[in-house]
Amino acid sequence: MGFMDEIRKAGRELKRACKDILSAPFVEEISEAALGMYGSGMAGNCFGSISCLLDGKDVSEYLDTEQYIRTFPLTWGNGEMFDVSVLAGRIFIVTSGGKYLKYVKSHPEKYSGIIKISNDGTVAELLWGFENGGLPTEELQTHLLCHVSRLTADPGNRVVIHGYPTHVLAMDRICGFDEAAMTRIIRKTNAECLKVFPEGVGTVPISCGAGGSFAETVAKMKKYRTVMPHLLGIFVAAKTIEEAFGMLETAEKTARIYLLTYKRTDTEAVNDGDLSKLSELLGLKSGDGIFD
């Protein structure tokens, strides 16, 4: 390294030393979202997780992205490796595993962390956070693979959230996992869903094997930004945390409306004709088999 390189490196280190990462927009953003999820019943106990793809240049304003604290192997629970080599060098902020989301706001350094995928894609390198031996969410594998799926479909997608909204879980138990039927139900219950979920909602039955239902969720994410693995909550992917949170809120509100009117004969759903006209007005595709 030459003299000028040393000077530039010292300048970067001095600049980083003057910035508190706890004030970084991406740390504040995930902290607010985690508290919001917990407060609105979209997460409970240790359930619920958030991951967000970051711009390396933004992170380098606060951290040396070439220095890591420790690593986490990228394997399923049975030890089987999974391939995220296409994410090599990408940086994410994620919530912790086995912890309450409500504490991310007050102690982000303990309940969230910033990781970088190694050059060979086999481990996640911890750049910051997860203090006192903390770990990333147990669903890190699913999050990363969902990012792979969504980045393939839309390079602008950078956020994945897994929530457990109360009414969505209840609706799932009633409606099962026929995705055409589920999409049709939510649109007829709340026309807002036509715009929020233009491609519909993907559903996944319970299954076993490496990754189980979550592996199938990853596959569904190539087509859908919203996927409901049966009895396991809901995954949403979006360009921003604000957008993803809005999708969760819409799903939960719609599920609540559905449950309040379920099997009532004195209520009226949005009819197919109006949905079709609204779809045309918004320039949206209705999806195969959604309308009669």
Side-chain angles (χ1 to χ4, degrees):
M1 181 180 292
F3 177 72
M4 291 306 298
D5 290 330
E6 291 280 2
I7 292 295
R8 282 190 285 269
K9 180 180 178 182
R12 289 193 297 270
E13 291 176 350
L14 178 60
K15 186 176 181 180
R16 281 195 290 266
C18 296
K19 284 194 169 186
D20 182 3
I21 191 168
L22 293 180
S23 66
F26 44 83
V27 173
E28 294 181 341
E29 192 177 31
I30 198 171
S31 298
E32 291 289 348
L35 184 61
M37 282 182 65
Y38 191 89
S40 57
M42 296 183 190
N45 200 311
C46 300
F47 298 105
S49 50
I50 307 171
S51 65
C52 180
L53 173 62
L54 303 177
D55 187 317
K57 292 182 180 179
D58 293 339
V59 180
S60 65
E61 292 288 315
Y62 301 88
L63 300 171
D64 182 347
T65 59
E66 299 304 317
Q67 298 292 323
Y68 61 86
I69 302 167
R70 48 196 168 98
T71 62
F72 310 104
L74 298 178
T75 61
W76 293 109
N78 62 0
E80 182 179 334
M81 298 290 295
F82 60 92
D83 182 18
V84 290
S85 55
V86 296
L87 297 177
R90 306 300 289 269
I91 299 174
F92 298 84
I93 185 168
V94 299
T95 52
S96 62
K99 306 290 185 182
Y100 287 92
L101 282 184
K102 64 180 177 180
Y103 294 130
V104 178
K105 175 67 174 176
S106 57
H107 299 290
E109 71 282 359
K110 294 181 181 179
Y111 297 96
S112 64
I114 296 176
I115 60 172
K116 179 180 180 181
I117 306 304
S118 63
N119 290 334
D120 61 5
T122 61
V123 298
E125 301 168 347
L126 178 63
L127 304 181
W128 171 85
F130 300 136
E131 291 186 357
N132 301 328
L135 299 170
T137 169
E138 295 93 336
E139 297 162 355
L140 178 62
Q141 306 92 330
T142 308
H143 274 263
L144 292 178
L145 288 169
C146 280
H147 279 289
V148 171
S149 291
R150 287 311 308 161
L151 288 170
T152 300
D154 182 350
N157 278 187
R158 66 185 189 93
V159 177
V160 173
I161 297 181
H162 184 199
Y164 290 83
T166 303
H167 296 91
V168 168
L169 287 169
M171 182 180 180
D172 176 38
R173 281 157 173 75
I174 294 173
C175 299
F177 44 84
D178 182 317
E179 58 195 30
M182 180 66 77
T183 296
R184 178 177 171 79
I185 287 170
I186 65 170
R187 286 177 173 171
K188 291 177 72 65
T189 300
N190 179 9
E192 178 185 0
C193 292
L194 194 62
K195 185 174 183 179
V196 178
F197 311 110
E199 71 277 19
V201 174
T203 59
V204 174
I206 293 177
S207 62
C208 301
S213 297
F214 292 144
E216 294 191 38
T217 296
V218 169
K220 290 284 185 180
M221 273 281 177
K222 294 177 181 179
K223 179 179 180 180
Y224 301 101
R225 293 176 305 136
T226 304
V227 179
M228 296 172 59
H230 191 46
L231 308 181
L232 295 172
I234 181 171
F235 279 86
V236 298
K239 295 180 179 180
T240 67
I241 284 182
E242 181 180 22
E243 181 186 10
F245 197 83
M247 292 165 69
L248 282 177
E249 287 184 316
T250 302
E252 176 66 345
K253 179 177 73 173
T254 302
R256 188 176 181 213
I257 294 170
Y258 176 79
L259 293 170
L260 287 171
T261 58
Y262 179 59
K263 288 191 175 181
R264 289 280 298 270
T265 59
D266 57 342
T267 61
E268 182 180 359
V270 182
N271 64 59
D272 289 336
D274 288 340
L275 278 178
S276 183
K277 291 176 183 177
L278 181 59
S279 177
E280 292 177 6
L281 181 64
L282 295 174
L284 303 173
K285 294 181 179 180
S286 64
D288 296 336
I290 302 306
F291 300 142
D292 289 337

